[in-house]
Amino acid sequence: MKFRRLKNDDWSFGRGVSNYADSDEAILLNCKTRLMSFKQDWFLDQNQNIDWFTILGQKNNEETIINEVERVCLNSEGIVNVVSIDIVKSTNRSASIEIVVNTIFSEALKLGVEIWQ
């Protein structure tokens, strides 16, 4: 698997093949991009990704966030299982999420994602 590297949470350009990651880095970048994408962002599948607008606006929603993050991670190519998910919600409809996953190449890889509206 190859995946375009991110710079400031957006695709990087201008460096040819060095803009692309492979192996574990590609798997984690793919998962991070999918987690940061809002539901109905992708025109080919409107039900893909997470409905962050609704979820982050609710109270006592940690279980919903954990379930949705796990669903997206497990449906990401190369991820075997999710070891742990830690969520830090702030009061301004945002969340910091740290996920530990096992991939087809390695175990216990950390992935951090910042979600904000």
Side-chain angles (χ1 to χ4, degrees):
M1 166 191 253
K2 295 238 185 250
F3 201 84
R4 187 173 287 278
R5 286 192 168 98
L6 302 178
K7 182 176 183 180
N8 298 324
D9 292 333
D10 202 0
W11 287 344
S12 62
F13 293 96
R15 298 199 172 208
V17 294
S18 66
N19 281 331
Y20 293 91
D22 58 6
S23 302
D24 282 331
E25 184 183 5
I27 292 170
L28 294 179
L29 286 171
N30 178 39
C31 186
K32 180 176 182 174
T33 301
R34 294 183 73 227
L35 287 168
M36 290 173 49
S37 296
F38 287 67
K39 188 171 186 173
Q40 299 181 344
D41 267 357
W42 192 38
F43 67 96
L44 292 175
D45 187 351
Q46 296 288 301
N47 293 317
Q48 193 72 294
N49 306 322
I50 299 175
D51 188 5
W52 289 115
F53 287 115
T54 303
I55 293 174
L56 289 178
Q58 298 172 348
K59 292 184 180 182
N60 302 319
N61 61 354
E62 284 192 25
E63 186 175 332
T64 302
I65 292 173
I66 288 170
N67 291 338
E68 286 294 293
V69 167
E70 185 173 28
R71 177 186 61 80
V72 169
C73 287
L74 291 175
N75 287 319
S76 297
E77 184 179 345
I79 292 185
V80 177
N81 66 341
V82 177
V83 177
S84 67
I85 300 172
D86 292 321
I87 301 168
V88 177
K89 283 179 41 182
S90 70
T91 56
N92 61 352
R93 295 175 60 111
S94 65
S96 296
I97 305 169
E98 186 173 288
I99 307 137
V100 178
V101 297
N102 294 332
T103 69
I104 57 175
F105 301 114
S106 301
E107 293 184 359
L109 296 175
K110 288 185 182 179
L111 169 64
V113 179
E114 299 283 330
I115 305 296
W116 63 91
Q117 295 180 285

